[in-house]
Amino acid sequence: MRNAITDVPGIRVGHAQRVGAGWLSGVTVVLPPAEGAVGGVDVRGGGPGTRETDLLDPRNLVERVHAIVLTGGSALGLGAADGVARALHAQGVGYPVARAPGAVVPIVPAAVVFDLGRGGDFSTFPDAALGREALAAADLEVGEGTVGAGTGTRVGGLKGGVGSASTRLPDGTTVGALAVVNAVGSAVDLASGELLAARHCVPGDLPDGLRRPDVRDLDAARQRAAEEPEPQPPLATTLAVVATDATLTKAQCQKVSGIGHDGLSRAINPVHTMYDGDTVFTLATGAGPTPDPAAFHLLLVAAADCVTRAVARGVLAAASAGGMRSYREVFPTALG
């Protein structure tokens, strides 16, 4: 296993980004099989920017989605989803609306993070072309850190990023998650400098020898934070996608998305603020069996755990950019 959302058979991930000349932003596409996957969503942040999330309400008609787009650029970046939808339409992928060639409408829910101006120019943000580029890059290998929608992200004053994690349940069901970490809150225990999510990680998630940083690192970080306070208002948003090969209903996918937010709450403090648009999507490919209540319980536990672990991996993989220092740079002694 890759310890990534792409361990779920049929799931691929593509990133595209722009860095330099005023840019520091990007797009991440999570792509299910061509026939789509049953989708769900739970939006809990106070400042969301989304597309087609109402469609995922279990009371509504369409069940399967054909891509999830996570993008920078705040609401201006939602145009990236247009590029993905048009490219899928050209491939004949989508919800059939008539018995005629090409009579399909791709279902492409999307959500944004706020990263405007972090490359120096507030007029740069992802568009349809960048969305198409991310779709074309979809692969089994998942880039982590300062890539895709995580290119311009920050978390509690540190550089944010993209992270992914997965697990396989005793019955063979695979669960994976991908997170784009961009929060008003901190991913670090301010008393110790340790990642809040670290205690929930499993062997292989984090670098060998990761430990509590030296007090000198912590004191230096506190001093710099006092000298360079967070911008006001500290606009943000953390996004996640959970995927599984289990056969789930839309209502069950919505429940998985809700439990995914519990995973965020273990890794970021505070979470779901009025300045965050925190959103969790779920994709169920249906390649595996329908879980009974006990198995569904275990799937929910795994979903939350994978989201927490993905946040930790995203923060640790991030590289300093746009004047935002990475965890590795601020707390070098944590890595030996």
Side-chain angles (χ1 to χ4, degrees):
M1 294 179 69
R2 301 174 185 83
N3 199 13
I5 193 172
T6 53
D7 286 323
V8 177
I11 298 294
R12 293 178 289 155
V13 172
H15 298 303
Q17 55 276 327
R18 297 282 185 272
V19 178
W23 278 89
L24 191 65
S25 190
V27 180
T28 295
V29 174
V30 180
L31 191 66
E35 65 272 20
V38 177
V41 70
D42 192 319
V43 182
R44 297 198 184 180
T50 58
R51 161 185 163 137
E52 294 209 289
T53 50
D54 283 350
L55 177 144
L56 298 180
D57 187 315
R59 297 170 296 181
N60 294 334
L61 174 65
V62 177
E63 290 198 348
R64 290 184 173 264
V65 302
H66 303 97
I68 299 290
V69 174
L70 313 176
T71 177
S74 190
L76 295 164
L78 283 171
D82 293 337
V84 174
R86 290 175 182 272
L88 290 173
H89 179 267
Q91 298 170 19
V93 174
Y95 178 77
V97 293
R99 293 183 178 179
V104 295
V105 176
I107 306 302
V108 184
V112 305
V113 300
F114 184 92
D115 59 5
L116 288 173
R118 292 181 183 165
D121 186 347
F122 278 86
S123 68
T124 59
F125 45 83
D127 58 8
L130 200 60
R132 288 193 297 271
E133 187 177 328
L135 176 66
D139 198 358
L140 294 176
E141 297 301 322
V142 180
E144 294 183 301
T146 307
V147 294
T151 300
T153 57
R154 66 187 294 157
V155 53
L158 297 177
K159 183 69 185 70
V162 173
S164 193
S166 70
T167 192
R168 187 159 290 152
L169 301 178
D171 66 357
T173 298
T174 305
V175 181
L178 179 142
V180 180
V181 188
N182 187 56
V184 170
S186 177
V188 174
D189 183 340
L190 302 181
S192 68
E194 296 172 290
L195 289 173
L196 293 171
R199 70 191 65 182
H200 302 284
C201 289
V202 301
D205 280 345
L206 307 178
D208 291 339
L210 184 72
R211 61 182 178 84
R212 177 179 293 195
D214 189 274
V215 68
R216 292 170 296 178
D217 286 355
L218 189 57
D219 289 343
R222 288 170 175 161
Q223 181 176 349
R224 178 156 179 163
E227 295 171 350
E228 302 176 15
E230 284 283 274
Q232 296 296 325
L235 301 174
T237 291
T238 295
L239 307 175
V241 179
V242 176
T244 179
D245 53 359
T247 298
L248 302 180
T249 65
K250 283 178 74 176
Q252 287 175 314
C253 285
Q254 187 177 58
K255 181 62 177 178
V256 174
S257 293
I259 208 81
H261 280 284
D262 294 345
L264 291 183
S265 69
R266 293 196 295 242
I268 300 167
N269 183 41
V271 71
H272 307 144
T273 77
M274 295 304 291
Y275 296 112
D276 291 289
D278 300 333
T279 300
V280 178
F281 294 97
T282 295
L283 296 173
T285 66
T290 300
D292 62 22
F296 185 56
H297 167 75
L298 292 178
L299 191 156
L300 292 173
V301 173
D305 288 346
C306 284
V307 170
T308 301
R309 294 163 51 208
V311 171
R313 287 169 59 84
V315 175
L316 270 179
S320 300
M324 296 174 286
R325 298 195 303 160
S326 68
Y327 182 86
R328 290 173 176 268
E329 180 182 346
V330 174
F331 299 106
T333 57
L335 291 108

PDB file of all heavy atoms in Angstrom, residues 202-237:
ATOM      1  N   VAL A 202       0.291   6.182  12.779  1.00  0.00           N
ATOM      2  CA  VAL A 202       0.736   4.793  12.874  1.00  0.00           C
ATOM      3  C   VAL A 202       2.129   4.693  12.269  1.00  0.00           C
ATOM      4  O   VAL A 202       2.583   5.600  11.561  1.00  0.00           O
ATOM      5  CB  VAL A 202      -0.242   3.852  12.146  1.00  0.00           C
ATOM      6  CG1 VAL A 202      -1.642   3.957  12.735  1.00  0.00           C
ATOM      7  CG2 VAL A 202      -0.285   4.161  10.648  1.00  0.00           C
ATOM      8  N   PRO A 203       2.845   3.611  12.559  1.00  0.00           N
ATOM      9  CA  PRO A 203       4.189   3.464  11.988  1.00  0.00           C
ATOM     10  C   PRO A 203       4.176   3.634  10.473  1.00  0.00           C
ATOM     11  O   PRO A 203       3.335   3.073   9.774  1.00  0.00           O
ATOM     12  CB  PRO A 203       4.584   2.042  12.401  1.00  0.00           C
ATOM     13  CG  PRO A 203       3.833   1.814  13.671  1.00  0.00           C
ATOM     14  CD  PRO A 203       2.514   2.511  13.484  1.00  0.00           C
ATOM     15  N   GLY A 204       5.119   4.411   9.975  1.00  0.00           N
ATOM     16  CA  GLY A 204       5.199   4.690   8.558  1.00  0.00           C
ATOM     17  C   GLY A 204       4.581   6.014   8.150  1.00  0.00           C
ATOM     18  O   GLY A 204       4.843   6.506   7.056  1.00  0.00           O
ATOM     19  N   ASP A 205       3.753   6.594   9.025  1.00  0.00           N
ATOM     20  CA  ASP A 205       3.136   7.878   8.698  1.00  0.00           C
ATOM     21  C   ASP A 205       4.142   9.023   8.745  1.00  0.00           C
ATOM     22  O   ASP A 205       4.133   9.909   7.889  1.00  0.00           O
ATOM     23  CB  ASP A 205       2.014   8.204   9.690  1.00  0.00           C
ATOM     24  CG  ASP A 205       0.717   7.490   9.377  1.00  0.00           C
ATOM     25  OD1 ASP A 205       0.578   6.980   8.258  1.00  0.00           O
ATOM     26  OD2 ASP A 205      -0.158   7.443  10.265  1.00  0.00           O
ATOM     27  N   LEU A 206       4.982   9.011   9.780  1.00  0.00           N
ATOM     28  CA  LEU A 206       5.862  10.134  10.073  1.00  0.00           C
ATOM     29  C   LEU A 206       7.322   9.692  10.003  1.00  0.00           C
ATOM     30  O   LEU A 206       7.628   8.505  10.108  1.00  0.00           O
ATOM     31  CB  LEU A 206       5.545  10.691  11.470  1.00  0.00           C
ATOM     32  CG  LEU A 206       4.074  11.049  11.718  1.00  0.00           C
ATOM     33  CD1 LEU A 206       3.879  11.533  13.145  1.00  0.00           C
ATOM     34  CD2 LEU A 206       3.593  12.111  10.723  1.00  0.00           C
ATOM     35  N   PRO A 207       8.241  10.629   9.841  1.00  0.00           N
ATOM     36  CA  PRO A 207       9.659  10.255   9.766  1.00  0.00           C
ATOM     37  C   PRO A 207      10.116   9.530  11.030  1.00  0.00           C
ATOM     38  O   PRO A 207       9.689   9.868  12.146  1.00  0.00           O
ATOM     39  CB  PRO A 207      10.374  11.602   9.627  1.00  0.00           C
ATOM     40  CG  PRO A 207       9.341  12.539   9.096  1.00  0.00           C
ATOM     41  CD  PRO A 207       8.040  12.085   9.671  1.00  0.00           C
ATOM     42  N   ASP A 208      10.972   8.548  10.861  1.00  0.00           N
ATOM     43  CA  ASP A 208      11.541   7.854  12.015  1.00  0.00           C
ATOM     44  C   ASP A 208      12.282   8.854  12.902  1.00  0.00           C
ATOM     45  O   ASP A 208      13.012   9.723  12.417  1.00  0.00           O
ATOM     46  CB  ASP A 208      12.521   6.769  11.556  1.00  0.00           C
ATOM     47  CG  ASP A 208      11.823   5.618  10.865  1.00  0.00           C
ATOM     48  OD1 ASP A 208      10.612   5.446  11.089  1.00  0.00           O
ATOM     49  OD2 ASP A 208      12.486   4.904  10.085  1.00  0.00           O
ATOM     50  N   GLY A 209      12.085   8.742  14.180  1.00  0.00           N
ATOM     51  CA  GLY A 209      12.796   9.608  15.112  1.00  0.00           C
ATOM     52  C   GLY A 209      12.121  10.933  15.389  1.00  0.00           C
ATOM     53  O   GLY A 209      12.664  11.763  16.116  1.00  0.00           O
ATOM     54  N   LEU A 210      10.932  11.163  14.795  1.00  0.00           N
ATOM     55  CA  LEU A 210      10.228  12.413  15.091  1.00  0.00           C
ATOM     56  C   LEU A 210       9.950  12.495  16.589  1.00  0.00           C
ATOM     57  O   LEU A 210       9.464  11.539  17.185  1.00  0.00           O
ATOM     58  CB  LEU A 210       8.920  12.469  14.310  1.00  0.00           C
ATOM     59  CG  LEU A 210       8.124  13.778  14.448  1.00  0.00           C
ATOM     60  CD1 LEU A 210       8.834  14.905  13.701  1.00  0.00           C
ATOM     61  CD2 LEU A 210       6.701  13.600  13.917  1.00  0.00           C
ATOM     62  N   ARG A 211      10.259  13.631  17.186  1.00  0.00           N
ATOM     63  CA  ARG A 211      10.126  13.769  18.643  1.00  0.00           C
ATOM     64  C   ARG A 211       9.724  15.186  19.004  1.00  0.00           C
ATOM     65  O   ARG A 211       9.601  16.062  18.135  1.00  0.00           O
ATOM     66  CB  ARG A 211      11.448  13.414  19.317  1.00  0.00           C
ATOM     67  CG  ARG A 211      12.620  14.317  18.901  1.00  0.00           C
ATOM     68  CD  ARG A 211      13.910  13.869  19.563  1.00  0.00           C
ATOM     69  NE  ARG A 211      15.059  14.659  19.174  1.00  0.00           N
ATOM     70  CZ  ARG A 211      15.406  15.815  19.724  1.00  0.00           C
ATOM     71  NH1 ARG A 211      14.678  16.324  20.706  1.00  0.00           N
ATOM     72  NH2 ARG A 211      16.494  16.455  19.320  1.00  0.00           N
ATOM     73  N   ARG A 212       9.548  15.405  20.286  1.00  0.00           N
ATOM     74  CA  ARG A 212       9.233  16.752  20.783  1.00  0.00           C
ATOM     75  C   ARG A 212      10.414  17.667  20.496  1.00  0.00           C
ATOM     76  O   ARG A 212      11.558  17.328  20.817  1.00  0.00           O
ATOM     77  CB  ARG A 212       8.961  16.713  22.283  1.00  0.00           C
ATOM     78  CG  ARG A 212       8.703  18.089  22.896  1.00  0.00           C
ATOM     79  CD  ARG A 212       8.409  18.001  24.378  1.00  0.00           C
ATOM     80  NE  ARG A 212       7.134  17.323  24.610  1.00  0.00           N
ATOM     81  CZ  ARG A 212       6.480  17.355  25.763  1.00  0.00           C
ATOM     82  NH1 ARG A 212       6.976  18.034  26.786  1.00  0.00           N
ATOM     83  NH2 ARG A 212       5.331  16.721  25.898  1.00  0.00           N
ATOM     84  N   PRO A 213      10.180  18.845  19.885  1.00  0.00           N
ATOM     85  CA  PRO A 213      11.304  19.736  19.568  1.00  0.00           C
ATOM     86  C   PRO A 213      11.946  20.319  20.809  1.00  0.00           C
ATOM     87  O   PRO A 213      11.339  20.390  21.884  1.00  0.00           O
ATOM     88  CB  PRO A 213      10.663  20.823  18.706  1.00  0.00           C
ATOM     89  CG  PRO A 213       9.225  20.808  19.073  1.00  0.00           C
ATOM     90  CD  PRO A 213       8.892  19.389  19.410  1.00  0.00           C
ATOM     91  N   ASP A 214      13.186  20.755  20.637  1.00  0.00           N
ATOM     92  CA  ASP A 214      13.923  21.398  21.716  1.00  0.00           C
ATOM     93  C   ASP A 214      13.221  22.686  22.133  1.00  0.00           C
ATOM     94  O   ASP A 214      12.632  23.382  21.306  1.00  0.00           O
ATOM     95  CB  ASP A 214      15.349  21.698  21.247  1.00  0.00           C
ATOM     96  CG  ASP A 214      16.236  22.162  22.373  1.00  0.00           C
ATOM     97  OD1 ASP A 214      16.232  23.387  22.660  1.00  0.00           O
ATOM     98  OD2 ASP A 214      16.924  21.326  22.963  1.00  0.00           O
ATOM     99  N   VAL A 215      13.327  23.026  23.411  1.00  0.00           N
ATOM    100  CA  VAL A 215      12.664  24.224  23.930  1.00  0.00           C
ATOM    101  C   VAL A 215      13.173  25.479  23.242  1.00  0.00           C
ATOM    102  O   VAL A 215      12.452  26.474  23.124  1.00  0.00           O
ATOM    103  CB  VAL A 215      12.840  24.304  25.465  1.00  0.00           C
ATOM    104  CG1 VAL A 215      14.302  24.563  25.823  1.00  0.00           C
ATOM    105  CG2 VAL A 215      11.940  25.386  26.050  1.00  0.00           C
ATOM    106  N   ARG A 216      14.393  25.453  22.725  1.00  0.00           N
ATOM    107  CA  ARG A 216      14.908  26.631  22.015  1.00  0.00           C
ATOM    108  C   ARG A 216      14.135  26.880  20.729  1.00  0.00           C
ATOM    109  O   ARG A 216      13.864  28.033  20.376  1.00  0.00           O
ATOM    110  CB  ARG A 216      16.400  26.444  21.726  1.00  0.00           C
ATOM    111  CG  ARG A 216      17.288  26.461  22.967  1.00  0.00           C
ATOM    112  CD  ARG A 216      18.706  26.041  22.622  1.00  0.00           C
ATOM    113  NE  ARG A 216      18.739  24.653  22.167  1.00  0.00           N
ATOM    114  CZ  ARG A 216      19.831  24.023  21.764  1.00  0.00           C
ATOM    115  NH1 ARG A 216      21.000  24.667  21.753  1.00  0.00           N
ATOM    116  NH2 ARG A 216      19.792  22.766  21.366  1.00  0.00           N
ATOM    117  N   ASP A 217      13.791  25.817  20.025  1.00  0.00           N
ATOM    118  CA  ASP A 217      12.952  25.979  18.838  1.00  0.00           C
ATOM    119  C   ASP A 217      11.606  26.581  19.212  1.00  0.00           C
ATOM    120  O   ASP A 217      11.086  27.466  18.523  1.00  0.00           O
ATOM    121  CB  ASP A 217      12.704  24.619  18.169  1.00  0.00           C
ATOM    122  CG  ASP A 217      13.915  24.100  17.421  1.00  0.00           C
ATOM    123  OD1 ASP A 217      14.921  24.830  17.326  1.00  0.00           O
ATOM    124  OD2 ASP A 217      13.851  22.950  16.941  1.00  0.00           O
ATOM    125  N   LEU A 218      11.032  26.085  20.296  1.00  0.00           N
ATOM    126  CA  LEU A 218       9.713  26.545  20.722  1.00  0.00           C
ATOM    127  C   LEU A 218       9.756  28.017  21.131  1.00  0.00           C
ATOM    128  O   LEU A 218       8.882  28.807  20.754  1.00  0.00           O
ATOM    129  CB  LEU A 218       9.207  25.676  21.869  1.00  0.00           C
ATOM    130  CG  LEU A 218       7.757  25.868  22.308  1.00  0.00           C
ATOM    131  CD1 LEU A 218       6.807  25.645  21.147  1.00  0.00           C
ATOM    132  CD2 LEU A 218       7.434  24.903  23.447  1.00  0.00           C
ATOM    133  N   ASP A 219      10.762  28.400  21.873  1.00  0.00           N
ATOM    134  CA  ASP A 219      10.890  29.798  22.296  1.00  0.00           C
ATOM    135  C   ASP A 219      11.070  30.718  21.092  1.00  0.00           C
ATOM    136  O   ASP A 219      10.484  31.814  21.028  1.00  0.00           O
ATOM    137  CB  ASP A 219      12.071  29.962  23.255  1.00  0.00           C
ATOM    138  CG  ASP A 219      11.807  29.344  24.625  1.00  0.00           C
ATOM    139  OD1 ASP A 219      10.624  29.095  24.932  1.00  0.00           O
ATOM    140  OD2 ASP A 219      12.778  29.102  25.364  1.00  0.00           O
ATOM    141  N   ALA A 220      11.872  30.280  20.124  1.00  0.00           N
ATOM    142  CA  ALA A 220      12.097  31.093  18.927  1.00  0.00           C
ATOM    143  C   ALA A 220      10.808  31.234  18.123  1.00  0.00           C
ATOM    144  O   ALA A 220      10.514  32.309  17.577  1.00  0.00           O
ATOM    145  CB  ALA A 220      13.195  30.472  18.071  1.00  0.00           C
ATOM    146  N   ALA A 221      10.016  30.160  18.053  1.00  0.00           N
ATOM    147  CA  ALA A 221       8.752  30.212  17.323  1.00  0.00           C
ATOM    148  C   ALA A 221       7.772  31.164  18.008  1.00  0.00           C
ATOM    149  O   ALA A 221       7.072  31.936  17.343  1.00  0.00           O
ATOM    150  CB  ALA A 221       8.148  28.819  17.221  1.00  0.00           C
ATOM    151  N   ARG A 222       7.726  31.125  19.328  1.00  0.00           N
ATOM    152  CA  ARG A 222       6.837  32.023  20.061  1.00  0.00           C
ATOM    153  C   ARG A 222       7.242  33.477  19.871  1.00  0.00           C
ATOM    154  O   ARG A 222       6.393  34.362  19.695  1.00  0.00           O
ATOM    155  CB  ARG A 222       6.852  31.658  21.543  1.00  0.00           C
ATOM    156  CG  ARG A 222       6.136  30.364  21.883  1.00  0.00           C
ATOM    157  CD  ARG A 222       6.410  29.950  23.307  1.00  0.00           C
ATOM    158  NE  ARG A 222       5.642  28.779  23.707  1.00  0.00           N
ATOM    159  CZ  ARG A 222       5.956  28.012  24.736  1.00  0.00           C
ATOM    160  NH1 ARG A 222       7.052  28.275  25.462  1.00  0.00           N
ATOM    161  NH2 ARG A 222       5.211  26.963  25.048  1.00  0.00           N
ATOM    162  N   GLN A 223       8.539  33.725  19.897  1.00  0.00           N
ATOM    163  CA  GLN A 223       9.017  35.094  19.725  1.00  0.00           C
ATOM    164  C   GLN A 223       8.672  35.626  18.337  1.00  0.00           C
ATOM    165  O   GLN A 223       8.198  36.751  18.186  1.00  0.00           O
ATOM    166  CB  GLN A 223      10.528  35.173  19.951  1.00  0.00           C
ATOM    167  CG  GLN A 223      11.083  36.597  19.813  1.00  0.00           C
ATOM    168  CD  GLN A 223      12.567  36.656  20.130  1.00  0.00           C
ATOM    169  OE1 GLN A 223      13.141  35.698  20.648  1.00  0.00           O
ATOM    170  NE2 GLN A 223      13.195  37.778  19.827  1.00  0.00           N
ATOM    171  N   ARG A 224       8.886  34.790  17.318  1.00  0.00           N
ATOM    172  CA  ARG A 224       8.580  35.227  15.964  1.00  0.00           C
ATOM    173  C   ARG A 224       7.083  35.447  15.782  1.00  0.00           C
ATOM    174  O   ARG A 224       6.660  36.383  15.093  1.00  0.00           O
ATOM    175  CB  ARG A 224       9.083  34.199  14.954  1.00  0.00           C
ATOM    176  CG  ARG A 224       8.760  34.570  13.515  1.00  0.00           C
ATOM    177  CD  ARG A 224       9.691  33.926  12.534  1.00  0.00           C
ATOM    178  NE  ARG A 224       9.357  34.274  11.165  1.00  0.00           N
ATOM    179  CZ  ARG A 224      10.168  34.131  10.144  1.00  0.00           C
ATOM    180  NH1 ARG A 224      11.393  33.647  10.342  1.00  0.00           N
ATOM    181  NH2 ARG A 224       9.794  34.463   8.935  1.00  0.00           N
ATOM    182  N   ALA A 225       6.267  34.590  16.392  1.00  0.00           N
ATOM    183  CA  ALA A 225       4.818  34.753  16.295  1.00  0.00           C
ATOM    184  C   ALA A 225       4.373  36.064  16.926  1.00  0.00           C
ATOM    185  O   ALA A 225       3.449  36.731  16.436  1.00  0.00           O
ATOM    186  CB  ALA A 225       4.112  33.579  16.963  1.00  0.00           C
ATOM    187  N   ALA A 226       5.032  36.453  18.030  1.00  0.00           N
ATOM    188  CA  ALA A 226       4.690  37.718  18.677  1.00  0.00           C
ATOM    189  C   ALA A 226       5.106  38.911  17.820  1.00  0.00           C
ATOM    190  O   ALA A 226       4.404  39.936  17.774  1.00  0.00           O
ATOM    191  CB  ALA A 226       5.356  37.788  20.040  1.00  0.00           C
ATOM    192  N   GLU A 227       6.224  38.766  17.124  1.00  0.00           N
ATOM    193  CA  GLU A 227       6.735  39.868  16.296  1.00  0.00           C
ATOM    194  C   GLU A 227       6.013  39.968  14.954  1.00  0.00           C
ATOM    195  O   GLU A 227       5.930  41.055  14.376  1.00  0.00           O
ATOM    196  CB  GLU A 227       8.241  39.671  16.059  1.00  0.00           C
ATOM    197  CG  GLU A 227       9.071  39.774  17.318  1.00  0.00           C
ATOM    198  CD  GLU A 227      10.518  39.364  17.095  1.00  0.00           C
ATOM    199  OE1 GLU A 227      10.813  38.829  16.003  1.00  0.00           O
ATOM    200  OE2 GLU A 227      11.345  39.571  18.008  1.00  0.00           O
ATOM    201  N   GLU A 228       5.508  38.833  14.461  1.00  0.00           N
ATOM    202  CA  GLU A 228       4.837  38.797  13.166  1.00  0.00           C
ATOM    203  C   GLU A 228       3.482  38.108  13.325  1.00  0.00           C
ATOM    204  O   GLU A 228       3.305  36.945  12.949  1.00  0.00           O
ATOM    205  CB  GLU A 228       5.685  38.044  12.142  1.00  0.00           C
ATOM    206  CG  GLU A 228       7.070  38.639  11.938  1.00  0.00           C
ATOM    207  CD  GLU A 228       7.919  37.815  10.991  1.00  0.00           C
ATOM    208  OE1 GLU A 228       7.352  36.956  10.274  1.00  0.00           O
ATOM    209  OE2 GLU A 228       9.136  38.019  10.968  1.00  0.00           O
ATOM    210  N   PRO A 229       2.501  38.812  13.904  1.00  0.00           N
ATOM    211  CA  PRO A 229       1.201  38.179  14.165  1.00  0.00           C
ATOM    212  C   PRO A 229       0.477  37.803  12.879  1.00  0.00           C
ATOM    213  O   PRO A 229       0.770  38.318  11.795  1.00  0.00           O
ATOM    214  CB  PRO A 229       0.435  39.265  14.924  1.00  0.00           C
ATOM    215  CG  PRO A 229       1.100  40.547  14.537  1.00  0.00           C
ATOM    216  CD  PRO A 229       2.550  40.201  14.332  1.00  0.00           C
ATOM    217  N   GLU A 230      -0.464  36.888  12.998  1.00  0.00           N
ATOM    218  CA  GLU A 230      -1.266  36.438  11.872  1.00  0.00           C
ATOM    219  C   GLU A 230      -2.014  37.612  11.246  1.00  0.00           C
ATOM    220  O   GLU A 230      -2.454  38.527  11.949  1.00  0.00           O
ATOM    221  CB  GLU A 230      -2.289  35.395  12.340  1.00  0.00           C
ATOM    222  CG  GLU A 230      -1.715  34.028  12.604  1.00  0.00           C
ATOM    223  CD  GLU A 230      -1.455  33.287  11.310  1.00  0.00           C
ATOM    224  OE1 GLU A 230      -2.348  32.628  10.779  1.00  0.00           O
ATOM    225  OE2 GLU A 230      -0.313  33.381  10.829  1.00  0.00           O
ATOM    226  N   PRO A 231      -2.189  37.594   9.926  1.00  0.00           N
ATOM    227  CA  PRO A 231      -2.977  38.646   9.275  1.00  0.00           C
ATOM    228  C   PRO A 231      -4.424  38.612   9.737  1.00  0.00           C
ATOM    229  O   PRO A 231      -4.945  37.553  10.097  1.00  0.00           O
ATOM    230  CB  PRO A 231      -2.858  38.304   7.795  1.00  0.00           C
ATOM    231  CG  PRO A 231      -2.531  36.844   7.754  1.00  0.00           C
ATOM    232  CD  PRO A 231      -1.707  36.585   8.970  1.00  0.00           C
ATOM    233  N   GLN A 232      -5.060  39.767   9.749  1.00  0.00           N
ATOM    234  CA  GLN A 232      -6.463  39.837  10.151  1.00  0.00           C
ATOM    235  C   GLN A 232      -7.306  40.358   8.990  1.00  0.00           C
ATOM    236  O   GLN A 232      -6.944  41.359   8.375  1.00  0.00           O
ATOM    237  CB  GLN A 232      -6.603  40.760  11.363  1.00  0.00           C
ATOM    238  CG  GLN A 232      -5.888  40.267  12.607  1.00  0.00           C
ATOM    239  CD  GLN A 232      -6.466  38.963  13.127  1.00  0.00           C
ATOM    240  OE1 GLN A 232      -7.663  38.724  13.041  1.00  0.00           O
ATOM    241  NE2 GLN A 232      -5.596  38.113  13.668  1.00  0.00           N
ATOM    242  N   PRO A 233      -8.452  39.726   8.661  1.00  0.00           N
ATOM    243  CA  PRO A 233      -8.877  38.448   9.244  1.00  0.00           C
ATOM    244  C   PRO A 233      -8.053  37.294   8.665  1.00  0.00           C
ATOM    245  O   PRO A 233      -7.649  37.354   7.503  1.00  0.00           O
ATOM    246  CB  PRO A 233     -10.345  38.348   8.811  1.00  0.00           C
ATOM    247  CG  PRO A 233     -10.404  39.103   7.530  1.00  0.00           C
ATOM    248  CD  PRO A 233      -9.422  40.235   7.682  1.00  0.00           C
ATOM    249  N   PRO A 234      -7.825  36.259   9.430  1.00  0.00           N
ATOM    250  CA  PRO A 234      -6.975  35.144   8.980  1.00  0.00           C
ATOM    251  C   PRO A 234      -7.772  34.142   8.149  1.00  0.00           C
ATOM    252  O   PRO A 234      -8.078  33.042   8.596  1.00  0.00           O
ATOM    253  CB  PRO A 234      -6.495  34.536  10.301  1.00  0.00           C
ATOM    254  CG  PRO A 234      -7.641  34.782  11.229  1.00  0.00           C
ATOM    255  CD  PRO A 234      -8.279  36.087  10.809  1.00  0.00           C
ATOM    256  N   LEU A 235      -8.134  34.517   6.936  1.00  0.00           N
ATOM    257  CA  LEU A 235      -8.988  33.657   6.112  1.00  0.00           C
ATOM    258  C   LEU A 235      -8.263  32.365   5.750  1.00  0.00           C
ATOM    259  O   LEU A 235      -7.063  32.369   5.494  1.00  0.00           O
ATOM    260  CB  LEU A 235      -9.412  34.412   4.851  1.00  0.00           C
ATOM    261  CG  LEU A 235     -10.175  35.717   5.111  1.00  0.00           C
ATOM    262  CD1 LEU A 235     -10.424  36.452   3.808  1.00  0.00           C
ATOM    263  CD2 LEU A 235     -11.488  35.439   5.825  1.00  0.00           C
ATOM    264  N   ALA A 236      -8.991  31.243   5.721  1.00  0.00           N
ATOM    265  CA  ALA A 236      -8.341  29.941   5.585  1.00  0.00           C
ATOM    266  C   ALA A 236      -9.256  28.929   4.902  1.00  0.00           C
ATOM    267  O   ALA A 236      -9.830  29.227   3.874  1.00  0.00           O
ATOM    268  CB  ALA A 236      -7.887  29.455   6.956  1.00  0.00           C
ATOM    269  N   THR A 237      -9.413  27.735   5.465  1.00  0.00           N
ATOM    270  CA  THR A 237     -10.249  26.588   5.075  1.00  0.00           C
ATOM    271  C   THR A 237      -9.399  25.345   4.865  1.00  0.00           C
ATOM    272  O   THR A 237      -8.461  25.335   4.076  1.00  0.00           O
ATOM    273  CB  THR A 237     -11.067  26.818   3.785  1.00  0.00           C
ATOM    274  OG1 THR A 237     -12.089  27.787   4.041  1.00  0.00           O
ATOM    275  CG2 THR A 237     -11.752  25.533   3.322  1.00  0.00           C
TER     276      THR A 237
END
